[in-house]
Amino acid sequence: MTSTDPLIIIGAGLAGWTTAREFRKLDSTTPVVHITADGGHFYAKPALSNAFAQKRALAQLITTPAATMAANHKVTLHAQTQVVSIDPVAQTIATSGGSFEYRQLVLATGAQAVRVPLSGNAAEQVLSVNSLDDFAIFHASLTDPCIGPDRSGPDSTVSRAKQVLIMGAGLIGCEFANDLTASGLQVSVVDPAARPMATLLPQEASEELGAALAKLGVGWHFGTTAKAVNRSACVGSDTSQAALQVELSNGETMLADVVLSAIGLRADTALAQAAGLACERGILVDPLLQTSAPNIFALGDGAQYASAGGRTLPYVMPIMSAAKALAHTLSGSRTEVAFPVMPVTIKTPILPIVVAAPVPGAVGAWQRVEPGVWQFRDEDDRPLGFVLAGRQTARRAEQAKLLAD
């Protein structure tokens, strides 16, 4: 390692690009190398779950092209480049495009969609959406002329598919269910829980959301899971038959043109683990966002934060806070990350919801304060979290202040 070795950032999602941007505000001269397995374009990943109803195709989701991001932030970008290994002792990385030495290394490797084992001859056709490339495949599957009748003419971007089955009634599953049903699709959601977002929302709020989405047209199938997916292919010009048959664990069989897995995300720790870095649910980082290896840092969906009680925080606001703090540390001013109250907006327009969840393991209970307002209160009646629904979402700042006081 020499004084001219670069800061290397692995991953070009929100965490990676925000770190580069914040670092450049403080240091305009240190070389920065950005390495990513995808195209490196800057986009808002949360927009993927509500883009279809807005008729936004792939190109419209890109906020800033990769080349422009690289130029704006004076970064040497290696897109479509796979990182093979990290050597923390030599401070080098090996990639599909060659080897690099680093002064400091930032892991912004993100998270991967959770995939459960499925049997059947079409199990590989189950989709998940966790990137632009994933969305492109998903969008194509919904507009494939072999799937369902074209109800809108050859130039329309309205879906030709008719039936979508979503595996998972969590946050992402509910967002997709709202978006696709609003697009005119027949949407069914399968989940082993008894209600939507059962682990995130108090029961009343969950039931209100379930009822609102059901009124929109979502079909709920709780207490069961998908077990097998088999083909039911189009024959000739007859596109009236659903493309897939899904067998559920309760013995029921459902038809679908597209099956979407929205079970959740798991931190991508493979690279870090192979390099000997300490990992649990994510890459372990201290308050400075340093991993167990010198000069290697991590943030974003792949990190497990000591400053957040050992949680992973796969949301936008934590990423922004972490990137700003890390930029100061990387530029020579050691700065611990401090996470503020960070409410999450759930994109279900039929019933908008804002959640500030209590820390896992917190002792207390949800209480309905007034219509559309729930608070998680401890034994001393102190609020530790809140949920707002419908028009009450406008009160997020007020509720957040209660938690901060």
Side-chain angles (χ1 to χ4, degrees):
M1 183 187 72
T2 69
S3 59
T4 59
D5 286 333
L7 163 66
I8 295 181
I9 301 171
I10 300 175
L14 179 65
W17 277 124
T18 304
T19 299
R21 182 189 67 202
E22 295 297 327
F23 180 75
R24 274 292 179 242
K25 292 178 181 178
L26 304 171
D27 184 327
S28 61
T29 59
T30 296
V32 176
V33 173
H34 217 131
I35 301 174
T36 180
D38 60 20
H41 303 301
F42 186 74
Y43 68 100
K45 186 180 288 188
L48 299 179
S49 61
N50 69 337
F52 197 75
Q54 299 173 6
K55 299 182 180 179
R56 298 174 67 190
L58 182 66
Q60 296 168 303
L61 290 171
I62 297 173
T63 305
T64 309
T68 303
M69 290 294 293
N72 288 347
H73 303 306
K74 299 177 182 177
V75 165
T76 300
L77 177 65
H78 296 268
Q80 308 295 343
T81 301
Q82 189 71 42
V83 178
V84 178
S85 63
I86 300 169
D87 185 335
V89 176
Q91 295 198 191
T92 60
I93 64 171
T95 79
S96 57
S99 297
F100 300 86
E101 295 182 337
Y102 63 84
R103 184 181 76 176
Q104 296 160 313
L105 178 65
V106 175
L107 303 180
T109 48
Q112 298 295 323
V114 175
R115 299 298 295 260
V116 296
L118 293 168
S119 60
N121 60 22
E124 77 284 352
Q125 292 187 25
V126 174
L127 305 177
S128 57
V129 178
N130 189 43
S131 68
L132 282 177
D133 291 343
D134 290 344
F135 180 81
I137 295 170
F138 180 63
H139 189 278
S141 74
L142 295 176
T143 55
D144 189 326
C146 184
I147 300 177
D150 179 359
R151 296 168 291 172
S152 50
D155 298 325
S156 173
T157 59
V158 176
S159 170
R160 292 184 174 95
K162 292 196 296 183
Q163 301 177 71
V164 177
L165 185 144
I166 299 175
M167 298 164 51
L171 187 154
I172 300 300
C174 287
E175 289 186 346
F176 271 111
N178 196 145
D179 187 65
L180 299 177
T181 307
S183 303
L185 295 166
Q186 299 172 25
V187 177
S188 299
V189 181
V190 175
D191 195 281
R195 49 191 173 85
M197 294 194 222
T199 61
L200 185 61
L201 300 180
Q203 183 171 343
E204 278 188 307
S206 172
E207 290 173 347
E208 287 185 18
L209 176 63
L213 286 169
K215 187 175 180 180
L216 185 65
V218 174
W220 297 112
H221 298 264
F222 294 119
T224 188
T225 59
K227 180 179 176 182
V229 182
N230 288 286
R231 296 184 184 90
S232 177
C234 301
V235 179
S237 60
D238 180 9
T239 59
S240 61
Q241 186 179 18
L244 303 170
Q245 292 182 332
V246 183
E247 180 184 343
L248 305 185
S249 59
N250 63 5
E252 184 181 357
T253 297
M254 301 184 65
L255 298 178
D257 298 308
V258 176
V259 178
L260 174 68
S261 177
I263 295 172
L265 298 175
R266 181 180 291 119
D268 190 345
T269 61
L271 191 62
Q273 285 183 310
L277 275 58
C279 299
E280 291 178 359
R281 293 182 306 280
I283 305 167
L284 293 175
V285 294
D286 66 14
L288 292 171
L289 304 180
Q290 181 161 314
T291 69
S292 58
N295 298 315
I296 301 180
F297 303 82
L299 79 165
D301 294 358
Q304 183 175 333
Y305 298 100
S307 296
R311 286 182 290 169
T312 56
L313 298 172
Y315 302 110
V316 171
M317 290 181 66
I319 288 174
M320 305 301 286
S321 296
K324 289 179 181 179
L326 180 56
H328 282 277
T329 295
L330 295 172
S331 63
S333 179
R334 290 165 60 89
T335 302
E336 295 187 355
V337 63
F339 293 112
V341 178
M342 300 174 290
V344 176
T345 298
I346 299 172
K347 301 186 298 299
T348 47
I350 192 66
L351 183 67
I353 294 177
V354 171
V355 181
V359 175
V363 177
W366 286 105
Q367 301 176 18
R368 184 173 181 266
V369 178
E370 57 184 283
V373 180
W374 293 264
Q375 293 177 348
F376 187 92
R377 291 184 168 271
D378 66 11
E379 295 173 341
D380 297 320
D381 205 35
R382 294 175 301 186
L384 303 180
F386 66 83
V387 169
L388 304 172
R391 294 180 180 178
Q392 299 285 27
T393 55
R395 298 170 60 184
R396 61 183 294 160
E398 164 204 309
Q399 292 294 311
K401 187 175 186 302
L402 292 176
L403 301 190
D405 288 344

